[in-house]
């Protein structure tokens, strides 16, 4: 007897005798019909129990959440709603589940409640679908870069550098929390720590990635990154996954082309391979939005929105143009923005980004040439000496999904910038070496993986697209 996945049974084109299928009971009706799910597909297979010839003891143990193994025959179903069902000849309870205590009851639970039960929420339709889509998207990312000859680089998780210079790092230490060794002037003596220096969890693999691009030509990283920013929003995680391609000899225009092509590819890949799950998530979003006032509902459904991104070019707009648009916008004039834009140089808040994308352009936008003052040290200075070759990609409903730039490849300009910001040049000696030996134009970007998954699944809180979210005050599981 062969063991099948529910997916194979549901997609079968003919009846099959003698199948084994294992999974978890979603519901059990009329002492007869088990809806069995094994995670291979959104849908359940109906297993029909011969209740007259099954001991009452066994029937009682077929409860929501229980793990069971079923032997039987795949046959055409007489009932409406499914083409095939399994006529059970033998049923074994693998693991009981107390129906009263099992938190995932066969009813609608709030996303908040499900977050508190993140270890079990993946047994629901919504989270099963989201996590399958997440998996397919991460495969698509590798596929895209591998097909194009990019080398996958595993940059370090523990590092001594603050790539973004934003100081939002989690310290890594092996020193005792109580009475750590101190220096003469009373500070913690990290010379005595595990690495002999201060270290932290990486906020980005970019700087190490650049050194690899300057040898292997085109590389990408895809790994976890950590930020101790205290932003308790639906777009921020303390631990998130980032994809960072870096390409030697690319300038900012080539960088934008790559980012746009890459994003469209991975979305298309998911649309093609996750049709079932996305159709379900499309309906979920529609149902959720029904309860909202008209003005807050999205104009497009999930699948319409994904197709829109595939069929339309991203709009490329300079920061300066964007500031003009924002200055003259209604919410700015009516003081509806929390941060009023009154001059060039202002950092854009997510309300501004969303206005540009959702109200003004109504399509994904690539903003470029930002003021040097609001961007990281490594971005290439433009001839105007005021702006840098930075780019952010803004998505409807998400805001910033990508941040990237052409890098400052001129050693003297980079050293000047580092000095200006008070960064210790000694910390970056190895980074500066790439500018000392065979420097060249190069560019890259970082895509926040969870923000991509948010967009593709139509979920609205980033905590719902990563298995076990880490956010301020929360590291359960
Ligand atoms: O814009 P960021 O900070 O750029 C970098 O880290 C560059 N080193 C990337 C590069 O050029 N190689 O972060 C890149 C992306 C953001 O656009 C956003 O999508 C995501 O990472 N991101 C977060 N996602 C979830 N939670 C957070 N706290 C995030 N911070 C950034
Ligand atoms: Mg950014």
């Amino acid at each position: 007897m062969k063991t099948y996945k529910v997916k194979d049974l549901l997609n079968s084109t003919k009846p099959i005798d003698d199948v084994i299928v294992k999974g978890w009971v979603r519901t059990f009706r009329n002492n007869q019909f088990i809806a069995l799910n094994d995670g291979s597909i959104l849908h359940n297979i109906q297993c029909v129990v011969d209740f007259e010839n099954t001991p009452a003891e066994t029937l009682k143990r077929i409860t929501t959440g229980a793990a069971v193994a079923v032997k039987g025959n795949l046959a055409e179903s007489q009932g409406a709603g499914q083409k095939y069902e399994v006529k059970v000849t033998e049923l074994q309870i693998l693991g009981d589940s107390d129906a009263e205590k099992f938190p995932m009851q066969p009813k609608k639970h709030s996303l908040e409640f499900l977050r508190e039960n993140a270890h079990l929420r993946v047994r629901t339709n919504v989270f099963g679908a989201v996590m399958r889509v997440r998996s397919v998207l991460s495969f698509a990312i590798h596929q895209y870069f591998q097909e194009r000859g990019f080398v996958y680089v595993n940059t370090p998780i523990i590092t001594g550098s603050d790539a973004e210079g934003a100081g939002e790092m989690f310290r890594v230490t092996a020193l005792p929390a109580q009475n750590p060794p101190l220096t003469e002037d009373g500070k913690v003596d990290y010379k005595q720590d595990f690495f002999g220096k201060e270290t932290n969890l990486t906020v980005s693999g970019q700087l190490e990635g650049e050194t690899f691009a300057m040898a292997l030509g085109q590389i990408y990283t895809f790994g976890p990154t950590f930020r101790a920013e205290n932003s308790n929003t639906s777009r921020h995680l303390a631990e998130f996954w980032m994809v960072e391609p870096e390409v030697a000899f690319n300038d900012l225009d080539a960088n934008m082309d790559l980012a746009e092509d890459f994003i469209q590819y991975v979305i298309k890949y998911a649309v093609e391979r996750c049709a079932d799950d996305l159709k379900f998530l499309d309906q979920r979003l529609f149902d959720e939005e029904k309860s909202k006032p008209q003005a807050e509902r999205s104009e497009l459904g999930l699948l319409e929105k994904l197709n829109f991104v595939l069929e339309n070019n991203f709009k490329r707009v300079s920061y300066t143009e964007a500031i003009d648009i924002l200055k003259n916008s209604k919410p700015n004039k009516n003081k509806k923005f929390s941060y009023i834009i009154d001059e060039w140089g202002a950092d854009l808040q997510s309300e501004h980004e969303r206005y540009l994308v959702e109200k003004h352009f109504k399509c994904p936008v690539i903003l470029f040439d930002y003021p040097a003052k609001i961007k990281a040290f490594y971005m290439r200075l433009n001839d105007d000496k005021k702006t840098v070759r930075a780019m952010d990609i803004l998505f409807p409903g998400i805001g910033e999904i990508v941040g990237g730039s052409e890098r400052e490849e001129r050693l003297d300009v980079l050293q000047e910038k580092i000095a200006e910001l008070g960064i210790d040049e000694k910390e970056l000696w190895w980074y500066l070496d790439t500018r000392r030996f065979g420097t060249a134009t190069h560019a890259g970007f970082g895509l926040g993986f969870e923000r991509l998954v948010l967009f593709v699944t139509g979920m609205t809180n980033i905590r719902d697209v990563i298995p076990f979210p880490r956010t301020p005050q929360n590291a359960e599981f």
Side-chain angles (χ1 to χ4, degrees):
M1 263 191 162
K2 192 178 154 198
T3 304
Y4 290 81
K5 288 288 173 196
V6 170
K7 183 179 184 177
D8 302 325
L9 296 179
L10 289 175
N11 289 337
S12 178
T13 50
K14 54 178 197 313
I16 314 172
D17 283 340
D18 299 331
V19 302
I20 299 176
V21 58
K22 298 176 186 176
W24 294 269
V25 175
R26 283 289 174 84
T27 56
F28 184 42
R29 278 189 301 120
N30 295 353
N31 234 3
Q32 200 177 3
F33 302 109
I34 303 174
L36 191 73
N37 191 282
D38 69 354
S40 62
I41 188 171
L42 177 72
H43 312 286
N44 308 320
I45 185 119
Q46 172 156 290
C47 302
V48 187
V49 180
D50 176 6
F51 63 97
E52 282 166 350
N53 295 308
T54 307
E57 259 321 292
T58 308
L59 290 174
K60 251 196 278 172
R61 293 170 64 196
I62 307 175
T63 53
T64 298
V68 300
V70 159
K71 281 186 193 169
N73 302 314
L74 185 75
E76 275 176 31
S77 173
Q78 278 105 52
Q82 64 275 323
K83 189 157 169 251
Y84 285 108
E85 60 190 18
V86 176
K87 301 253 188 282
V88 179
T89 52
E90 203 181 314
L91 181 134
Q92 192 191 351
I93 308 283
L94 301 173
D96 289 285
S97 167
D98 184 335
E100 310 257 289
K101 294 198 180 127
F102 183 55
M104 301 294 111
Q105 295 291 320
K107 63 163 197 177
K108 195 171 156 49
H109 292 290
S110 74
L111 291 169
E112 194 62 55
F113 172 82
L114 292 171
R115 263 169 235 146
E116 287 161 12
N117 290 280
H119 59 307
L120 294 173
R121 68 177 178 174
V122 69
R123 293 201 202 177
T124 63
N125 283 339
V126 173
F127 285 89
V130 168
M131 293 306 155
R132 277 186 298 269
V133 172
R134 182 180 165 111
S135 164
V136 168
L137 279 171
S138 75
F139 188 77
I141 287 165
H142 285 292
Q143 180 94 353
Y144 178 85
F145 289 120
Q146 294 287 332
E147 274 175 356
R148 286 157 184 77
F150 283 63
V151 178
Y152 178 40
V153 183
N154 303 121
T155 49
I157 305 281
I158 300 174
T159 123
S161 76
D162 177 1
E164 291 305 298
E168 292 162 336
M169 297 174 300
F170 288 102
R171 174 160 296 154
V172 173
T173 178
L175 292 177
Q178 242 121 66
N179 303 321
L182 300 178
T183 58
E184 272 171 18
D185 43 2
K187 298 204 178 102
V188 176
D189 186 7
Y190 289 104
K191 284 218 174 70
Q192 296 187 49
D193 202 346
F194 190 92
F195 297 108
K197 62 185 282 194
E198 279 188 65
T199 50
N200 45 267
L201 294 177
T202 185
V203 294
S204 157
Q206 179 197 321
L207 303 193
E208 291 91 347
E210 279 185 54
T211 69
F212 267 56
M214 296 310 280
L216 299 172
Q218 24 179 28
I219 65 98
Y220 69 106
T221 72
F222 185 9
T225 47
F226 308 86
R227 295 196 186 178
E229 50 190 335
N230 207 354
S231 340
N232 225 332
T233 77
S234 57
R235 304 280 175 272
H236 289 88
L237 290 164
E239 177 178 301
F240 64 98
W241 286 65
M242 193 161 28
V243 184
E244 296 186 274
E246 190 72 34
V247 184
F249 317 116
N250 262 10
D251 62 9
L252 188 67
D253 287 323
N255 201 34
M256 293 191 218
D257 293 342
L258 176 67
E260 187 170 340
D261 188 56
F262 162 64
I263 293 176
Q264 288 180 327
Y265 176 96
V266 295
I267 293 178
K268 183 156 184 267
Y269 194 94
V271 167
E272 286 170 359
R273 319 239 164 172
C274 304
D276 237 17
D277 286 322
L278 290 178
K279 192 170 152 227
F280 170 78
L281 291 167
D282 183 271
Q283 185 64 40
R284 186 206 77 87
L285 187 62
F286 180 80
D287 292 340
E288 187 188 272
E289 296 214 320
K290 268 198 292 208
S291 60
K292 287 188 182 167
Q294 190 74 43
E296 283 171 35
R297 291 184 208 167
S298 358
E299 283 170 32
L300 301 179
L302 176 61
L303 289 169
E304 287 170 331
K305 198 176 65 172
L306 297 179
N307 283 316
F308 181 86
V309 170
L310 298 182
E311 285 155 13
N312 291 279
N313 291 335
F314 299 1
K315 179 93 186 143
R316 301 183 186 190
V317 186
S318 75
Y319 167 89
T320 303
E321 289 170 71
I323 284 291
D324 282 338
I325 293 167
L326 288 168
K327 255 204 266 181
N328 295 314
S329 69
K330 261 201 200 147
N332 202 57
K333 288 183 169 160
N334 301 343
K335 307 224 178 325
K336 286 269 155 44
F337 283 144
S338 309
Y339 295 86
I340 300 302
I341 300 282
D342 45 27
E343 57 185 304
W344 192 93
D347 202 355
L348 300 185
Q349 306 296 324
S350 70
E351 57 181 349
H352 308 126
E353 296 176 342
R354 294 184 67 167
Y355 174 84
L356 290 170
V357 173
E358 289 159 28
K359 298 279 185 302
H360 190 85
F361 291 110
K362 295 182 190 282
C363 75
V365 171
I366 311 184
L367 286 188
F368 61 92
D369 283 352
Y370 280 77
K373 282 213 169 66
I374 59 173
K375 288 291 182 189
F377 74 92
Y378 50 70
M379 299 186 177
R380 192 180 200 280
L381 191 63
N382 277 312
D383 292 342
D384 65 10
K385 307 261 197 258
K386 269 175 27 187
T387 59
V388 286
R389 302 246 74 195
M391 66 168 202
D392 276 4
I393 302 186
L394 314 178
F395 257 47
I398 307 288
E400 179 190 336
I401 193 165
V402 160
S405 68
E406 187 178 320
R407 317 305 187 189
E408 184 54 77
E409 86 286 9
R410 297 162 296 186
L411 179 64
D412 53 336
V413 182
L414 188 56
Q415 280 172 320
E416 213 173 290
K417 181 82 194 194
I418 288 172
E420 196 185 302
L421 293 175
I423 304 170
D424 188 357
E425 202 176 291
K426 279 192 254 120
E427 291 290 319
L428 288 175
W429 65 274
W430 52 274
Y431 185 69
L432 293 170
D433 265 3
T434 55
R435 277 64 174 172
R436 286 190 184 102
F437 308 112
T439 192
T441 299
H442 61 291
F445 61 85
L447 168 97
F449 184 52
E450 284 73 21
R451 295 198 183 167
L452 174 72
V453 182
L454 260 184
F455 183 74
V456 174
T457 58
M459 300 301 285
T460 43
N461 191 316
I462 201 162
R463 292 166 180 78
D464 299 332
V465 298
I466 188 164
F468 298 101
R470 268 78 185 92
T471 51
Q473 301 300 313
N474 176 40
E476 194 64 45
F477 309 104

